[in-house]
Amino acid sequence: MSETRKFTGTGRRKASVARVTMVPGKGNITINGRDVRDFLPYETNVMDLMQPLVATNNENTFDITVKVSGGGSTGQTGAIRLGITRALLEYDKDNEENEDSYRKILKRAGFVTRDARVKERKKPGLKGARRAPQFSKR
């Protein structure tokens, strides 16, 4: 009995964390037990998280299961995309030196780098992170 190989990747974006598991399959994507199109509110979000798969021609090669928590739909989409990218890199780690390696393709497309932008904290004496109270001369 041969065990099917699992590839995992963790992605983070804003306040979201996604744990991605990839197994060879037909291209089904399940997020928190629901189909990707039921879970994400906009088709652009679905297209966004599919980008690493499209760039490496793996749209119908893997079944992907995702557990995601925290943040909103955009942050979760970014976290899932990074998780898928990292799982693809784990799948292709033996081929890293070649010119057609997934790492070179995904790095060139900008999917390997984590987007570190998060909400700035509110400072004391201000109304927001940078918004000062309205100035009154009199």
Side-chain angles (χ1 to χ4, degrees), residues 5-10 20 22 52-53 55-56 58 62 80-98 100-114:
R5 187 93 165 83
K6 279 198 315 189
F7 306 97
T8 59
T10 304
V20 176
M22 274 184 359
L53 298 169
T56 56
N58 284 313
F62 297 104
I80 294 167
R81 185 172 84 170
L82 182 60
I84 290 172
T85 300
R86 287 181 173 169
L88 284 168
L89 292 178
E90 185 185 320
Y91 166 72
D92 194 51
K93 70 176 168 233
D94 301 333
N95 191 28
E96 277 188 6
E97 280 74 44
N98 296 352
D100 62 339
S101 73
Y102 286 176
R103 179 163 202 86
K104 287 196 170 88
I105 295 167
L106 294 168
K107 185 79 173 163
R108 202 172 300 126
F111 301 141
V112 177
T113 309
R114 185 222 195 272

Side-chain angles (χ1 to χ4, degrees), residues 23-109:
V23 293
K26 294 188 171 43
N28 301 323
I29 301 177
T30 309
I31 304 173
N32 291 354
R34 292 162 57 191
D35 183 64
V36 65
R37 298 191 192 302
D38 295 337
F39 187 82
L40 294 172
Y42 305 111
E43 188 62 32
T44 52
N45 286 356
V46 177
M47 286 169 35
D48 197 29
L49 74 83
M50 292 286 285
Q51 284 177 329
L53 298 169
V54 172
T56 56
N57 278 340
N58 284 313
E59 298 100 311
N60 301 316
T61 313
F62 297 104
D63 285 342
I64 298 173
T65 307
V66 180
K67 292 217 181 323
V68 66
S69 62
S73 62
T74 305
Q76 288 183 347
T77 302
I80 294 167
R81 185 172 84 170
L82 182 60
I84 290 172
T85 300
R86 287 181 173 169
L88 284 168
L89 292 178
E90 185 185 320
Y91 166 72
D92 194 51
K93 70 176 168 233
D94 301 333
N95 191 28
E96 277 188 6
E97 280 74 44
N98 296 352
E99 195 56 45
D100 62 339
S101 73
Y102 286 176
R103 179 163 202 86
K104 287 196 170 88
I105 295 167
L106 294 168
K107 185 79 173 163
R108 202 172 300 126

